[in-house]
Amino acid sequence: MVMIRLARVGATKQPYYRIVVIEKDRARNGRSIEVVGTYNPRTEPATVELKHDRIAYWTGVGAQMSDIVAKLVKNAPAPAAAEPVAA
């Protein structure tokens, strides 16, 4: 089964997370399939950067989100729609 979950990177007592697509039985920081975002809880307010199109693709093909990632995706601002280019 494929999961979308957090993988911790960063120094001791300075957490920084990647939001990754990974097989469920792999280690937390094991080899991931794709990085679909980042989460930095140390900024005020916390910074979340997501690739909404890739998250939609992976959930569409059956990937399950962890509880924390689902909360981050729900609370993240929607991606800005591309403005039409006037000719």
Side-chain angles (χ1 to χ4, degrees), residues 3-4 6 12 17-19 24-25 34 41 44 47 49 51-52 56 58 63 66 68-69 71-72 74 76 79 82:
M3 295 284 298
I4 301 174
L6 296 176
T12 304
Y17 299 93
R18 289 182 183 147
I19 301 170
K24 185 174 183 172
D25 57 346
E34 182 178 358
E44 189 57 46
T47 307
E49 296 177 11
K51 297 177 184 175
H52 290 280
W58 283 107
S66 69
I68 300 298
V69 171
K71 185 177 177 182
L72 291 173
K74 177 183 166 194

Side-chain angles (χ1 to χ4, degrees), residues 16 22-23 32 36 38 44 51 53 58 65 74 85:
Y16 187 82
I22 192 168
E23 288 289 329
S32 62
V36 294
T38 59
E44 189 57 46
K51 297 177 184 175
D53 57 333
W58 283 107
M65 284 192 267
K74 177 183 166 194
V85 177

Side-chain angles (χ1 to χ4, degrees), residues 6-65:
L6 296 176
R8 184 186 160 129
V9 293
T12 304
K13 297 187 180 180
Q14 296 181 357
Y16 187 82
Y17 299 93
R18 289 182 183 147
I19 301 170
V20 297
V21 178
I22 192 168
E23 288 289 329
K24 185 174 183 172
D25 57 346
R26 287 203 185 263
R28 177 190 73 190
N29 292 340
R31 187 173 48 125
S32 62
I33 299 170
E34 182 178 358
V35 177
V36 294
T38 59
Y39 170 55
N40 186 357
R42 300 189 73 228
T43 59
E44 189 57 46
T47 307
V48 179
E49 296 177 11
L50 300 170
K51 297 177 184 175
H52 290 280
D53 57 333
R54 297 306 296 164
I55 291 172
Y57 168 78
W58 283 107
T59 54
V61 296
Q64 299 292 315
M65 284 192 267

